[in-house]
């Protein structure tokens, strides 16, 4: 049995711990926003947890880079991972840490062969709704002209934005909030396309399966008909021979 590369073994061993750290990151990101006003010690602790989780994903990328057989090819194939690792270093904003960590989680989750497409899409929808709501609430709550003041308003706005309904009862007024809205709208359209394509592929596969079964049955009936015809010819020949004097 051929031994798996070290990079593949590392990715399989660290997949679940990194996903668990992603859940910890989600909690640390949400607590200072939901608890309003949050104490300085609580905010500091949650920020430290966020940096630790991001650091774990950054270390994971570096280890995978070291274990890769062709490092240049690895960097070219995982350029988005590199951008996600470097993004928070450019400007230490919480939103940048959120975006980079989400990107890293998404890239690592895709490597898991046991994660089915439906589960992946459902998790992406829930994650985008949750983080989109928290992100827009954190930037819009203190805005003088903002109308997204509570978590309920933020969740409703995220849901209507992702589904591209856009009732207009709640809308971001800051530049950063509108950037979040653009990201949610594009993500919602992309996920809708994935769901539609998945459903269409399922129907096509189902129809192809039925068509193959129908062709198999038709071929079996044709073969059986030919055999019966051949047997009738043989019986006729034998009968003719038996009647000869």
């Amino acid at each position: 049995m051929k031994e798996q590369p070290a990079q593949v073994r590392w990715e399989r061993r660290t997949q679940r711990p990194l996903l668990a750290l992603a859940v910890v990151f989600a909690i640390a990101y949400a607590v200072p926003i939901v608890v309003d006003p949050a104490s300085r010690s609580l905010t500091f602790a949650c920020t430290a947890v966020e940096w630790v989780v991001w650091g774990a994903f950054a270390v994971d990328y570096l280890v995978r880079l070291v274990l890769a057989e062709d490092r240049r090819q690895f960097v070219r194939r995982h350029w988005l991972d590199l951008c996600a690792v470097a993004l928070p270093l450019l400007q230490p904003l919480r939103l940048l840490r959120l975006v980079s960590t989400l990107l890293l989680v998404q890239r690592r989750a895709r490597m898991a062969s046991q994660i089915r497409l439906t589960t992946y899409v459902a998790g992406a929808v829930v994650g985008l709704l949750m983080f989109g709501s928290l992100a827009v609430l954190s930037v819009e709550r203190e805005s003088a002209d903002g109308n997204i003041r509570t978590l309920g308003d933020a969740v409703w706005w995220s849901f209507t934005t992702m589904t591209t309904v856009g009732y207009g009862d709640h809308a971001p007024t800051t530049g950063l909030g509108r950037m979040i809205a653009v990201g949610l709208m594009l993500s919602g359209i992309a996920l809708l396309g994935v769901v539609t394509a998945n459903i269409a592929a399922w129907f096509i596969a189902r129809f192809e399966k039925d068509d193959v079964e129908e062709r198999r049955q038709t071929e079996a009936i044709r073969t059986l008909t030919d055999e019966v015809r051949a047997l009738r010819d043989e019986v006729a020949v034998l009968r003719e021979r038996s009647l000869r004097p």
Side-chain angles (χ1 to χ4, degrees):
M1 184 175 179
K2 186 178 180 180
E3 186 178 359
Q4 294 179 341
Q7 179 189 345
V8 176
R9 296 198 304 269
W10 170 266
E11 290 172 354
R12 290 187 175 182
R13 291 175 182 175
T14 58
Q15 175 190 330
R16 292 185 178 179
L18 288 177
L19 293 179
L21 286 176
V23 175
V24 175
F25 176 88
I27 297 174
Y29 182 82
V31 168
I33 299 175
V34 176
V35 179
D36 185 38
S39 62
R40 181 176 300 180
S41 59
L42 179 62
T43 303
F44 177 80
C46 292
T47 302
V49 171
E50 292 175 15
W51 278 110
V52 168
V53 174
W54 170 85
F57 277 96
V59 170
D60 171 70
Y61 175 83
L62 294 176
V63 172
R64 288 160 54 207
L65 176 61
V66 172
L67 295 178
E69 297 178 356
D70 189 347
R71 296 178 184 176
R72 293 184 179 180
Q73 182 68 18
F74 178 86
V75 173
R76 285 195 297 266
R77 292 180 57 185
H78 301 83
W79 62 270
L80 190 59
D81 297 32
L82 178 60
C83 294
V85 169
L87 190 62
L89 298 178
L90 302 179
Q91 190 174 0
L93 294 177
R94 292 189 76 227
L95 189 58
L96 291 182
R97 290 199 301 276
L98 170 63
V99 173
S100 64
T101 306
L102 286 179
L103 285 175
L104 291 170
V105 171
Q106 178 249 5
R107 300 289 292 181
R108 290 294 270 117
R110 279 186 176 179
M111 297 174 187
S113 59
Q114 69 270 23
I115 297 180
R116 300 182 182 272
L117 179 62
T118 304
T119 305
Y120 179 79
V121 171
V125 169
V126 173
L128 286 172
L129 281 174
M130 180 181 67
F131 284 109
S133 303
L134 294 172
V136 77
L137 179 62
S138 64
V139 299
E140 291 290 325
R141 183 163 49 192
E142 304 300 330
S143 176
D145 300 328
N147 54 15
I148 303 176
R149 303 290 185 183
T150 64
L151 183 60
D153 294 339
V155 172
W156 172 250
W157 171 84
S158 296
F159 191 83
T160 57
T161 301
M162 280 194 64
T163 54
T164 66
V165 175
Y167 288 110
D169 50 350
H170 296 289
T173 58
T174 63
L176 194 55
R178 289 170 179 169
M179 290 178 60
I180 297 173
V182 170
L184 277 181
M185 284 185 280
L186 295 178
S187 301
I189 294 172
L191 289 174
L192 181 62
V194 170
V195 173
T196 304
N198 191 29
I199 295 175
W202 182 85
F203 276 110
I204 292 173
R206 183 67 180 179
F207 292 150
E208 287 181 350
K209 183 179 179 180
D210 294 341
D211 189 45
V212 169
E213 182 66 20
E214 184 178 355
R215 288 200 301 267
R216 188 186 66 80
Q217 293 178 358
T218 303
E219 185 64 26
I221 293 174
R222 185 181 296 110
T223 303
L224 183 61
T225 303
D226 294 339
E227 292 178 354
V228 171
R229 186 179 294 112
L231 288 174
R232 291 177 60 183
D233 294 339
E234 291 180 5
V235 170
V237 171
L238 293 174
R239 180 181 297 177
E240 184 179 354
R241 289 178 180 177
S242 64
L243 293 177
R244 289 179 183 178

